C-alpha cells in the first residue's frame, strides 16, 4: 500500500476552526433513515486503521471513531479493517479486498475512501468473512446530484418546498437560512453514504428572494457549502437567467455587458465558495425568463453562464423542460411531448463542454408511465443528465407507497437504437433527482419513501444495479432485520408491499400511458377531465368511441418520429406499440384489442379493480406485522398512509371506471360495480 495525499487537501477544510470533525449526531425525535447506529455495527466492532490526510479522510476517521464508540471497537491488536488512499484508484473510486483476516479499502481520494467505508457498512458481516480478491467500485457518473425545489420564502401557492411532501425545507425557513443546520448535516451524511456528491439548494423556479442567493446572500450559500463539504458534496445554485437585468436592464446572452456581469458575479461566488459546483437553470419554461426574449437560442443562453463558470471548474445544468404552457386545447397540431426535441436537437454540438443538458426522463412530466425522452438519444455532441423525480408529485405524493427503483431501472435500461445499441445508462453523463426530503421526522413523509432517495443515489452510482437488491440493502440498513424476532416476515412484508408498488400505482391511475388525469394545481387524486380544456398540453381526447393521443408520424403529431429506429416504427404503429404506452402514442377505439387479448375498455376496468385490491392487500399485510417488529412510530405512520392510499386508490378506481363506462357505454365483462 502506498498512501498518497488526498487531492482535495488543498481545497477548503471541513473544519475551518481547526476542531476535529464531528459526525452529525442522531437528532432526537428524528428517524435515522438508513443510517441508524446498527448500520455501522460491523465497522464499529472492529479494529480499524485509516491512512491518509485531508478533509474527507478526517470525516472517515470521525465516522470510524463514532462507530467504534457506539459498538465497542475491538481493542488493541492488528487491524481487521484498513482504509487507505491508493494511487492505483481513480478519484471517487475504491477497491475492497479481504486477505489474511484483513479487509482493505484502497481508495483514489478522500471521497472514494468515504464511499468505501459506507460500502463496508452495507456489506455488514460479509465484509469480514471469507477472503475475496480486490473488487473495484467506480461510479458510473462523475456527478450524482440531488436537486431541491426549496423556496427561501414561503411561496403563496407552492409553500416552502415546491412539490414537497415532507414538511418544511432542511435549509430555509420563512425567508431565512435555518439557524440550526443539524438536519442538513445529517442529510449530507445520508446522501454521501449512497454516493451523492452534488446538491442544488433552491428551487428551479427562482423567485425574487431566491434570486438574491447569487448576489446579496452568498453568505447563506457559503454556510450550506460548509455543511455539505465534510461529506464531499458540492453545493449548486438555481439561478434566474434574467439576473443581470436588475443591473443592466437586459439579460441578452450575446451582449458583452451581460457576459461580463456573469463573469463578475461568478468570480464573487467562488470567492465565497471556492468549491462551488455550478448553476442550474430553468429558462423559457413555465414563465421563467430565458433567451427567447432576446431572439437567442438556448445554446446562446447556456453558454454565457458556462463561459463565466468554466475558469472555476463549475458546470451549468441547463434544463430541457421547455414547452408552451399556454397552448390552445383546440389546437390538435401542437404536441407538448415534441417540444424538448424540437427545441434542443437542432442545437446539438453547440453547447460548451461544461453545459449539462438536463432532460426529464419522459417527454411530458414525470408521469407514472411515459416513454423515455427522445432527446436523450438526439444529442451525441452534448453532455446530457437524466432528471428523475424522487419527490412523488405524480406518484402518490408520499401518501402512497410507490417504490420507484424499478421504474428508473427501466428508464436507464432503455436502448434507443434497439437491443444492440447502448442504453440510456451508458448515454447519459449524469443523473439528477428532485429530492423528496424535508424536515419531517421521517425525512420523506412516508417512511417507505426513504427507499426512493436511497435507490436514486445507488442507481446514480451504478445504474445497472438490480432494484430489488437495492431495496434489500435499504431494508438491511434501515431495519436490521437480522436483529429482529422474525427477519423473514419483516423482509418479506416490505418486499410484498414495495416491490411492485409502482406498477400497482400505475394500475389504479391513468391507463395505458395516457398520463395526468390528476386534480389540477396540486396534482393529487383523480380528475379525468381536470386538464382536458386547459392550456397545459396534457390531454387524453376521450370521446364516446375511443381515447388516446395520436402521436404517430402517419396520422398524428409526428412525435413517434423523433425516435431512431426501431422505436420510431414500433411506437408509430398501434399494432406494435407496447400496451403500456398505447394511449400515449395512439387514439384507439375502446374495442381495440391489446397484445394480451383484452380490449382497451376491459383492460381499464380490470386494472383499476386489481390495483385497488392490491392496495387492500398491502394494507392487510402491513397490519399483520406483529407489534415490535418495526419501530412503532414507523409502523403507525405507514399504517396511516396505507389507509389513505386505499381510500385514494378506490377513488381513482371508481372515477376512472365510471368515466369510461359512461363515455363508452360498454359494460364490464365481469359485471362488477361501476357507478
Ligand atoms: C419546479 C412540473 C411541476 C412544477 C415544476 C416543473 C419543473 O410542472 O408541477 O412544480 O416546477 O415541473 O420541473 O420545472
Amino acid at each position: 500500500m502506498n498512501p498518497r495525499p488526498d487531492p482535495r487537501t488543498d481545497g477548503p477544510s471541513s473544519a475551518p476552526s481547526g476542531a476535529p470533525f464531528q459526525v452529525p449526531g442522531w437528532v432526537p425525535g428524528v428517524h435515522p433513515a438508513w443510517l441508524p447506529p446498527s448500520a455501522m455495527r460491523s465497522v464499529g466492532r472492529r479494529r480499524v486503521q485509516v491512512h491518509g490526510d485531508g478533509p474527507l479522510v478526517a470525516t472517515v476517521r470521525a465516522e470510524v471513531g463514532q462507530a467504534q464508540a457506539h459498538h465497542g471497537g475491538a481493542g488493541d491488536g492488528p487491524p481487521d479493517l484498513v482504509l487507505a488512499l491508493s494511487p492505483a484508484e481513480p478519484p471517487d473510486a475504491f477497491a475492497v479486498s479481504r486477505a489474511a483476516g484483513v479487509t482493505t479499502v484502497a481508495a483514489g481520494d478522500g471521497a472514494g475512501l468515504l464511499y468505501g467505508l459506507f460500502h463496508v457498512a452495507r456489506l455488514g458481516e460479509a465484509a469480514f468473512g471469507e477472503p475475496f480478491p480486490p473488487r473495484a467500485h467506480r461510479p458510473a457518473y462523475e456527478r450524482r446530484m440531488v436537486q431541491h425545489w426549496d423556496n427561501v420564502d414561503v411561496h403563496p401557492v407552492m409553500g416552502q418546498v415546491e412539490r414537497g411532501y415532507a414538511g418544511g425545507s432542511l435549509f430555509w425557513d420563512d425567508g431565512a437560512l435555518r439557524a440550526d443546520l443539524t438536519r442538513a448535516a445529517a442529510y449530507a451524511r445520508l446522501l454521501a453514504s449512497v454516493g451523492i456528491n452534488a446538491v442544488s439548494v433552491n428551487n428551479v423556479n427562482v423567485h425574487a428572494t431566491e434570486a438574491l442567493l447569487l448576489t446579496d446572500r452568498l453568505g447563506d450559500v457559503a454556510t450550506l457549502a460548509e455543511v455539505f463539504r465534510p461529506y464531499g458534496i458540492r453545493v449548486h445554485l438555481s439561478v434566474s437567467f434574467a439576473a443581470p437585468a436588475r443591473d443592466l436592464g437586459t439579460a441578452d446572452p450575446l451582449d458583452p455587458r451581460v457576459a461580463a456581469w456573469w463573469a463578475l458575479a461568478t468570480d464573487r461566488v467562488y470567492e465565497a465558495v471556492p468549491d462551488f459546483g455550478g448553476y442550474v437553470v430553468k429558462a423559457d419554461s413555465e414563465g421563467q425568463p430565458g433567451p427567447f426574449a432576446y431572439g437567442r437560442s438556448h445554446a446562446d443562453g447556456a453558454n454565457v453562464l458556462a463561459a463565466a463558470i468554466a475558469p472555476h471548474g463549475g458546470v451549468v445544468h441547463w434544463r430541457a423542460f421547455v414547452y408552451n404552457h399556454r397552448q390552445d386545447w383546440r389546437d390538435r397540431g401542437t404536441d407538448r411531448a415534441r417540444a424538448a426535441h424540437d427545441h434542443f436537437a437542432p442545437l446539438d454540438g453547440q453547447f460548451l463542454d461544461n453545459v449539462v443538458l438536463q432532460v426529464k426522463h419522459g417527454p411530458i412530466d414525470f408521469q407514472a408511465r411515459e416513454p423515455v425522452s427522445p432527446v436523450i438519444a438526439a444529442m451525441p455532441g452534448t453532455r446530457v443528465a437524466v432528471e428523475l423525480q424522487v419527490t412523488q408529485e405524480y406518484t402518490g405524493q408520499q401518501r402512497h407507497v410507490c417504490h420507484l427503483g424499478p421504474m428508473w431501472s427501466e428508464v436507464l435500461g432503455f436502448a434507443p437504437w434497439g437491443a444492440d445499441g447502448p442504453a440510456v445508462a451508458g448515454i447519459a453523463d449524469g443523473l439528477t433527482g428532485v429530492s423528496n426530503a424535508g424536515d419531517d421526522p421521517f425525512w420523506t413523509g412516508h417512511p417507505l419513501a426513504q427507499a426512493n432517495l436511497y435507490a436514486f443515489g445507488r442507481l446514480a452510482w451504478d445504474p445497472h444495479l438490480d432494484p430489488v437488491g437495492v431495496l434489500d440493502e435499504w431494508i438491511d440498513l434501515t431495519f436490521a432485520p437480522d436483529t429482529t424476532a422474525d427477519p423473514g416476515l419483516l423482509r418479506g412484508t416490505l418486499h410484498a408491499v414495495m416491490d411492485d408498488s409502482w406498477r400497482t400505482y400505475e394500475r389504479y391511475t391513468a391507463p395505458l400511458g395516457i398520463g395526468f388525469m390528476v386534480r389540477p394545481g396540486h396534482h393529487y387524486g383523480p380528475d379525468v377531465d381536470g386538464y382536458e380544456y386547459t392550456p397545459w398540453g396534457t390531454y387524453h381526447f376521450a370521446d364516446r368511441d375511443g381515447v388516446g393521443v395520436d402521436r404517430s408520424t402517419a396520422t398524428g403529431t409526428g412525435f413517434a418520429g423523433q425516435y431512431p429506429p426501431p422505436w420510431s416504427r414500433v411506437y408509430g404503429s398501434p399494432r406494435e406499440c407496447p400496451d403500456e404506452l398505447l394511449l400515449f402514442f395512439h387514439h384507439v377505439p375502446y374495442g381495440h384489442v391489446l397484445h394480451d387479448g383484452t380490449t382497451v375498455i376491459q383492460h381499464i376496468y380490470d386494472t383499476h379493480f386489481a390495483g385497488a385490491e392490491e392496495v387492500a392487500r398491502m394494507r392487510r399485510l402491513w397490519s399483520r406485522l406483529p407489534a415490535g417488529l418495526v419501530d412503532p412510530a414507523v409502523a403507525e405512520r405507514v399504517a396511516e398512509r396505507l389507509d389513505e392510499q386505499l381510500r385514494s386508490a378506490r377513488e381513482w378506481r371508481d372515477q376512472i371506471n365510471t368515466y369510461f363506462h359512461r363515455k363508452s357505454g360498454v359494460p364490464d365483462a365481469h359485471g362488477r360495480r361501476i357507478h
Side-chain angles (χ1 to χ4, degrees):
M1 193 61 47
N2 193 1
R4 71 167 186 200
D6 179 352
R8 294 190 63 153
T9 304
D10 294 331
S13 157
S14 57
S17 61
F21 173 70
Q22 296 279 319
V23 174
W26 291 278
V27 188
V30 175
H31 187 264
W34 55 85
L35 290 180
S38 57
M40 301 301 284
R41 185 164 177 274
S42 64
V43 173
R45 298 174 52 215
R46 294 201 153 78
R47 288 182 293 265
V48 185
Q49 284 179 1
V50 181
H51 300 292
D53 293 306
L56 295 188
V57 179
T59 302
V60 171
R61 275 203 183 89
E63 283 283 349
V64 169
Q66 190 203 55
Q68 289 175 323
H70 209 94
H71 297 288
D76 297 330
D80 308 301
L81 172 63
V82 174
L83 297 141
L85 299 181
S86 157
E89 297 298 322
D92 275 12
F94 62 92
V96 196
S97 57
R98 181 158 175 85
V102 184
T103 301
T104 302
V105 174
D109 60 2
L113 205 64
L114 191 60
Y115 303 142
L117 170 69
F118 286 118
H119 178 79
V120 171
R122 273 194 296 275
L123 290 176
E125 287 305 314
F128 300 98
E130 293 299 308
F132 54 88
R135 294 175 189 153
H137 296 266
R138 296 182 180 174
Y141 309 115
E142 181 190 341
R143 199 166 300 93
R144 308 166 297 276
M145 182 172 194
V146 293
Q147 299 191 344
H148 280 257
W149 288 354
D150 297 18
N151 297 314
V152 178
D153 277 334
V154 176
H155 186 272
V157 179
M158 292 297 173
Q160 188 78 67
V161 181
E162 181 155 346
R163 312 306 181 186
Y165 312 106
S169 166
L170 292 164
F171 317 136
W172 314 105
D173 183 18
D174 203 7
L177 181 69
R178 280 187 177 279
D180 180 357
L181 289 167
T182 317
R183 291 284 304 270
Y187 179 58
R189 179 171 184 251
L190 286 169
L191 294 181
S193 75
V194 288
I196 297 294
N197 66 355
V199 63
S200 66
V201 294
N202 65 305
N203 192 355
V204 289
N205 290 325
V206 182
H207 308 292
T209 303
E210 292 73 16
L212 299 177
L213 294 174
L214 173 65
T215 50
D216 312 43
R217 293 182 62 165
L218 271 174
D220 290 352
V221 184
T223 302
L224 285 173
E226 272 173 36
V227 170
F228 281 101
R229 189 170 294 127
Y231 283 94
I233 298 172
R234 288 175 187 243
V235 163
H236 297 234
L237 208 54
S238 295
V239 296
S240 167
F241 182 77
R246 190 170 69 140
D247 296 327
L248 304 176
T250 179
D252 181 351
L254 298 192
D255 184 327
R257 291 172 307 149
V258 169
W261 189 96
W262 279 111
L264 184 61
T266 305
D267 288 348
R268 290 188 178 139
V269 171
Y270 278 89
E271 271 162 33
V273 187
D275 56 353
F276 181 70
Y279 299 135
V280 181
V281 189
K282 171 176 177 175
D284 290 318
S285 170
E286 299 184 332
Q288 292 295 302
F292 287 162
Y294 305 95
R296 311 297 185 199
S297 76
H298 274 247
D300 295 331
N303 288 347
V304 70
L305 278 77
I309 209 167
H312 303 280
V315 293
V316 174
H317 281 84
W318 189 267
R319 296 179 87 228
F321 186 55
V322 177
Y323 71 99
N324 177 7
H325 70 291
R326 297 208 175 95
Q327 85 173 70
D328 186 342
W329 59 267
R330 299 166 194 85
D331 163 20
R332 298 282 283 249
T334 301
D335 180 6
R336 172 169 165 177
R338 290 189 57 113
H341 189 282
D342 284 344
H343 287 302
F344 286 94
L347 301 178
D348 186 36
Q350 296 181 28
F351 292 94
L352 292 179
D353 282 351
N354 61 329
V355 174
V356 180
L357 187 68
Q358 183 170 309
V359 183
K360 289 192 182 189
H361 68 81
I364 299 278
D365 196 4
F366 298 135
Q367 300 304 291
R369 176 70 69 174
E370 288 189 47
V372 167
S373 168
V375 178
I376 297 167
M379 311 289 293
T382 306
R383 295 168 71 186
V384 168
V386 178
E387 181 177 345
L388 304 173
Q389 195 178 41
V390 188
T391 193
Q392 290 174 237
E393 176 179 3
Y394 296 104
T395 50
Q397 304 201 348
Q398 280 133 255
R399 290 185 240 182
H400 298 217
V401 183
C402 185
H403 182 51
L404 294 166
M407 170 166 105
W408 297 332
S409 232
E410 263 190 38
V411 167
L412 293 162
F414 176 76
W417 294 274
D420 295 338
V424 166
I427 303 167
D429 286 283
L431 287 194
T432 68
V434 184
S435 179
N436 63 352
D439 75 347
D440 167 74
F442 295 97
W443 297 94
T444 52
H446 201 310
L448 303 186
Q450 291 173 7
N452 283 330
L453 189 57
Y454 184 91
F456 170 77
R458 295 290 288 132
L459 290 173
W461 177 276
D462 181 355
H464 304 292
L465 288 173
D466 165 23
V468 177
V470 171
L471 189 62
D472 264 323
E473 287 177 6
W474 176 78
I475 291 172
D476 283 332
L477 292 168
T478 307
F479 296 92
D482 291 348
T483 64
T484 67
D486 195 339
L489 180 64
L490 178 54
R491 189 185 299 281
T493 303
L494 286 162
H495 276 293
V497 168
M498 297 176 76
D499 280 353
D500 212 28
S501 54
W502 158 54
R503 289 193 177 82
T504 297
Y505 185 83
E506 181 186 18
R507 280 183 201 111
Y508 62 76
T509 56
L512 294 166
I514 191 70
F516 273 81
M517 299 191 169
V518 288
R519 298 215 175 108
H522 58 66
H523 297 166
Y524 186 73
D527 185 347
V528 182
D529 281 338
Y531 273 104
E532 197 59 13
Y533 307 103
T534 72
W536 291 93
T538 50
Y539 314 121
H540 56 69
F541 300 125
D543 58 24
R544 66 180 186 175
D545 300 318
V547 56
V549 188
D550 185 354
R551 293 190 162 109
S552 68
T553 311
T555 54
T557 68
F559 170 71
Q562 292 184 336
Y563 291 85
W567 294 106
S568 48
R569 191 200 69 237
V570 171
Y571 288 150
S573 144
R575 211 171 27 82
E576 285 191 70
C577 184
D579 287 346
E580 67 272 14
L581 286 170
L582 183 67
L583 301 184
F584 191 95
F585 283 102
H586 299 282
H587 186 91
V588 297
Y590 293 114
H592 177 96
V593 178
L594 299 170
H595 292 111
D596 69 2
T598 42
T599 60
V600 164
I601 190 71
Q602 193 56 43
H603 171 93
I604 291 175
Y605 299 148
D606 289 349
T607 49
H608 285 76
F609 283 114
E613 263 166 40
E614 180 55 24
V615 178
R617 192 180 81 96
M618 289 154 67
R619 175 74 189 88
R620 274 198 307 278
L621 288 173
W622 190 260
S623 67
R624 283 186 199 146
L625 276 180
L629 206 53
V630 293
D631 170 356
V634 172
E636 192 185 322
R637 176 70 77 93
V638 173
E640 267 168 40
R641 303 259 153 160
L642 280 167
D643 285 344
E644 165 54 17
Q645 183 171 2
L646 184 54
R647 185 208 62 75
S648 176
R650 288 176 172 154
E651 183 70 30
W652 270 99
R653 174 197 67 193
D654 291 341
Q655 285 205 27
I656 299 277
N657 283 347
T658 301
Y659 180 95
F660 284 104
H661 183 252
R662 289 181 187 173
K663 277 266 164 181
S664 69
V666 180
D668 171 31
H670 306 294
R672 289 164 292 194
R673 182 148 193 243
I674 295 179
H675 300 267

